[in-house]
Amino acid sequence: MLQKIQQTAEWIKQHTSSRPHTAIILGTGLGRLAAEIEVVDAFPYSEIPNFPVSTVEGHSGRLVFGRLGGKEVMALEGRFHYYEGYNMKEVTFPVRVMYELGIKQLFVSNAAGGMNPDFEIGDLMLITDHINFMPEHPLHGPNFPTGPRFPDMSEAYDKEFLQMAREIAQEKGIKVQEGVYLATQGPTFETPAEYKMYHILGGDAVGMSTVPEVIVAHHCGIRTFGISIITDLGVEGKIVEVSHEEVQKAANAVQPLMAEIFRSLIARLPE
Ligand code: HPA
């Protein structure tokens, strides 16, 4: 595994002169940010040795190197979800490669169902913490030398980045919520009873991604920041039928605001 990761990182280093310290995983809702990256080099996943190949229709997936907010960035256009059939080592492989490439901070976004009764569709939620309800742990197996066997998780989401994001939101008049992201394996959305249970357990939003990547990044000492777009509500009395199309539509509507927070945050990072 380690050999594969290093081989992939080596291939990337040979194919781009870009050496970013910041990586972005463009989940649902960050497509717009992708369009703002001044692309220097881009590689379809299918060209990168050992990279998983995205199964989502119409999305081949690309790894992009370029500039955003005046900084060098690398961006994954298309993430790997557990529900697609990948195992957790595959889901988090790109994050391992990021570490080998010298990435110091990772920015992620996702679409999620809101369970906190104060939330509304279209809200942005700064992720303050998470609950890992996925069936397989990304660090299962022999420990990687990037971090300890039993990693601390007391600050999985970097407090300094959270504070910067709050300040940016306030300066720009963007309404943001804050809360705990609970990750399930999907691909089903929740039954009303499940939304209720996940809320009782401490989740403010529920989704099918992000947590595996954040755990591995944290184990590698990469600082992480994440935002969820609340695309539907899992709140008693407000639950209606939900589809992937509606999730995408709701995410699209607030993309510009989310992109603004990410871009401003990246612009304020030290080089
Ligand atoms: N549940 C799980 N994942 C989701 C949801 C949801 O309600 N909305 C968007 N992704």
Side-chain angles (χ1 to χ4, degrees), residues 111-114 184 188-190 195 206-208 229 231-234 242 247:
T184 69
T188 43
F189 293 111
E190 286 62 41
Y195 281 125
V206 54
M208 309 171 193
I229 297 183
T231 56
D232 52 279
L233 293 176
V242 58
V247 164

Side-chain angles (χ1 to χ4, degrees), residues 3-20 22-23 40-52 62-66 72-76 80 93-103:
Q3 209 183 345
K4 274 192 173 174
I5 293 161
Q6 285 166 344
Q7 191 183 44
T8 304
E10 219 26 67
W11 184 93
I12 292 170
K13 281 188 210 161
Q14 281 166 11
H15 285 75
T16 182
S17 55
S18 185
R19 295 288 180 267
T22 304
V40 174
D41 287 301
F43 310 102
Y45 293 161
S46 56
E47 274 182 20
I48 308 172
N50 309 318
F51 233 64
R62 293 196 311 169
L63 178 61
V64 170
F65 288 83
E72 276 193 297
V73 297
M74 72 180 268
L76 287 181
F80 303 100
F93 184 80
V95 181
R96 297 260 176 225
V97 174
M98 284 173 193
Y99 170 79
E100 289 295 326
L101 293 173
I103 291 299

Side-chain angles (χ1 to χ4, degrees), residues 121-143:
I121 291 177
D123 276 352
L124 299 179
M125 184 189 89
L126 307 181
I127 304 176
T128 54
D129 203 351
H130 74 221
I131 295 175
N132 182 14
F133 248 119
M134 293 228 172
E136 189 191 323
H137 200 284
L139 302 181
H140 175 89
N143 189 43

Side-chain angles (χ1 to χ4, degrees), residues 76-155:
L76 287 181
E77 286 184 11
R79 60 151 58 95
F80 303 100
H81 299 91
Y82 184 76
Y83 63 74
E84 292 178 78
Y86 301 110
N87 64 43
M88 284 301 183
K89 298 285 179 291
E90 292 167 321
V91 169
T92 57
F93 184 80
V95 181
R96 297 260 176 225
V97 174
M98 284 173 193
Y99 170 79
E100 289 295 326
L101 293 173
I103 291 299
K104 304 275 183 268
Q105 50 252 340
L106 172 65
F107 295 79
V108 294
S109 79
N110 57 57
M115 302 182 293
N116 183 320
D118 296 336
F119 289 3
E120 290 169 33
I121 291 177
D123 276 352
L124 299 179
M125 184 189 89
L126 307 181
I127 304 176
T128 54
D129 203 351
H130 74 221
I131 295 175
N132 182 14
F133 248 119
M134 293 228 172
E136 189 191 323
H137 200 284
L139 302 181
H140 175 89
N143 189 43
F144 267 76
T146 52
R149 171 72 289 189
F150 302 106
D152 170 74
M153 290 297 283
S154 61
E155 192 183 327

Side-chain angles (χ1 to χ4, degrees), residues 91-267:
V91 169
T92 57
F93 184 80
V95 181
R96 297 260 176 225
V97 174
M98 284 173 193
Y99 170 79
E100 289 295 326
L101 293 173
I103 291 299
K104 304 275 183 268
Q105 50 252 340
L106 172 65
F107 295 79
V108 294
S109 79
N110 57 57
M115 302 182 293
N116 183 320
D118 296 336
F119 289 3
E120 290 169 33
I121 291 177
D123 276 352
L124 299 179
M125 184 189 89
L126 307 181
I127 304 176
T128 54
D129 203 351
H130 74 221
I131 295 175
N132 182 14
F133 248 119
M134 293 228 172
E136 189 191 323
H137 200 284
L139 302 181
H140 175 89
N143 189 43
F144 267 76
T146 52
R149 171 72 289 189
F150 302 106
D152 170 74
M153 290 297 283
S154 61
E155 192 183 327
Y157 298 83
D158 193 272
K159 286 208 168 70
E160 199 183 334
F161 289 160
L162 273 165
Q163 189 51 32
M164 285 163 79
R166 284 183 196 114
E167 285 164 15
I168 289 164
Q170 191 168 21
E171 277 167 35
K172 302 195 181 280
I174 300 171
K175 175 190 170 196
V176 285
Q177 304 277 13
E178 297 192 13
V180 173
Y181 177 87
L182 184 146
T184 69
Q185 62 173 306
T188 43
F189 293 111
E190 286 62 41
T191 63
E194 286 166 346
Y195 281 125
K196 188 174 173 181
M197 173 183 74
Y198 290 148
H199 184 52
I200 290 170
L201 290 176
D204 294 296
V206 54
M208 309 171 193
S209 68
T210 302
V211 164
E213 295 109 308
V214 168
I215 289 175
V216 170
H218 196 62
H219 188 246
C220 294
I222 296 172
R223 298 166 73 191
T224 58
F225 172 77
I227 300 186
S228 293
I229 297 183
I230 305 302
T231 56
D232 52 279
L233 293 176
V235 174
E236 221 166 357
K238 293 191 182 170
I239 298 172
V240 292
E241 205 178 307
V242 58
S243 69
H244 183 55
E245 290 65 33
E246 281 164 310
V247 164
Q248 282 182 315
K249 206 170 133 210
N252 261 331
V254 285
Q255 272 210 52
L257 299 179
M258 165 123 100
E260 177 89 40
I261 296 177
F262 276 85
R263 194 183 342 92
S264 303
L265 197 47
I266 291 169

